[in-house]
Amino acid sequence: LDVESLSETINEYFDMIVAEVENFGGDILKFAGDAIFAEWQASEARPVGAASNEQHKRIKDEDSKPWHGLSAEECVLVASACGAKIV
């Protein structure tokens, strides 16, 4: 694999991951080598344990995109769902 092909492949890979993180409402903080640091912002008004079963179901349905005002618990669920989709 030549250098240009490798670079193109890596860029396509990162583009796909960035698109998924954004699709799940996350923000890319930085790239470090072959890692990406992303975050999902939790609402201080929504304490841990505030997520209902209905909200958990909505988080699993990526078409509903309930990314506004999530609790910390919901942010972890969304980040996990995003990671599972990427893998």
Side-chain angles (χ1 to χ4, degrees), residues 41-47 68-72 75:
Q41 294 186 1
S43 169
E44 290 183 30
R46 303 279 319 279
H68 226 49
L70 298 176
S71 69
C75 287

Side-chain angles (χ1 to χ4, degrees), residues 6 8 22 43-44 49 55-58 65 67 72 74:
L6 177 61
E8 184 177 314
E22 290 175 346
S43 169
E44 290 183 30
Q55 288 163 324
H56 284 215
K57 289 177 189 172
R58 281 190 4 221
K65 300 189 194 256
W67 315 135
E74 292 167 321

Side-chain angles (χ1 to χ4, degrees), residues 62-83:
E62 66 184 82
D63 291 331
S64 67
K65 300 189 194 256
W67 315 135
H68 226 49
L70 298 176
S71 69
E73 176 185 7
E74 292 167 321
C75 287
V76 170
L77 291 170
V78 172
S80 298
C82 179

Side-chain angles (χ1 to χ4, degrees), residues 1 3-4 6 12 15 22 24-26 28 31-34 39-41 52 54 57 62 64 81-82 86-87:
L1 195 60
V3 174
E4 287 183 31
L6 177 61
E12 288 174 6
D15 286 345
E22 290 175 346
F24 277 85
I28 302 293
F31 296 91
D34 62 350
E39 74 173 356
W40 282 259
Q41 294 186 1
S52 69
E54 185 60 34
K57 289 177 189 172
E62 66 184 82
S64 67
C82 179
I86 290 170
V87 173

Side-chain angles (χ1 to χ4, degrees), residues 10-23 36 82 85-87:
I10 290 171
N11 286 336
E12 288 174 6
Y13 174 75
F14 279 122
D15 286 345
M16 183 271 306
I17 291 175
V18 167
E20 285 301 328
V21 169
E22 290 175 346
N23 187 43
I36 294 176
C82 179
K85 179 134 189 208
I86 290 170
V87 173

